[in-house]
Amino acid sequence: MTKTKTFENKIAKMPFEEAMTRLEEIVEILSSEKINLNQMIELYEEGDLLKKHCSKRLEEAKMKIEVIEKN
């Protein structure tokens, strides 16, 4: 299994709040510039997957709220 698939599987099971916390950690680490290029690429990839996951969860929540408001 590739690292990307491992990240995807792990992230897919994460609650929104945990994913946001990890995304914030990644941003902080990347901002520190105290890591090598390979680590930076890995963290960027993980961060991108986290961002997509959070966006998807927010969109799902928005749709649920719209359904509730219509009823």
Side-chain angles (χ1 to χ4, degrees), residues 1-60:
M1 185 178 293
T2 66
K3 216 168 218 184
T4 301
K5 271 293 181 204
T6 302
F7 283 148
E8 287 176 357
N9 291 337
K10 181 180 176 186
I11 290 168
K13 298 173 187 171
M14 265 187 200
F16 175 82
E17 295 78 8
E18 185 180 336
M20 281 298 296
T21 299
R22 178 63 183 148
L23 187 54
E24 290 169 355
E25 290 171 357
I26 289 172
V27 168
E28 196 172 307
I29 293 167
L30 289 174
S31 297
S32 74
E33 299 178 7
K34 296 180 181 178
I35 58 174
N36 67 42
L37 182 60
N38 287 336
Q39 291 171 316
M40 193 176 289
I41 291 168
E42 272 187 31
L43 286 172
Y44 185 86
E45 181 179 25
E46 182 183 357
D48 186 55
L49 292 171
L50 285 162
K51 179 188 73 73
K52 289 174 184 173
H53 173 70
C54 289
S55 293
K56 180 181 173 190
R57 297 295 304 265
L58 285 172
E59 187 61 34
E60 290 169 354

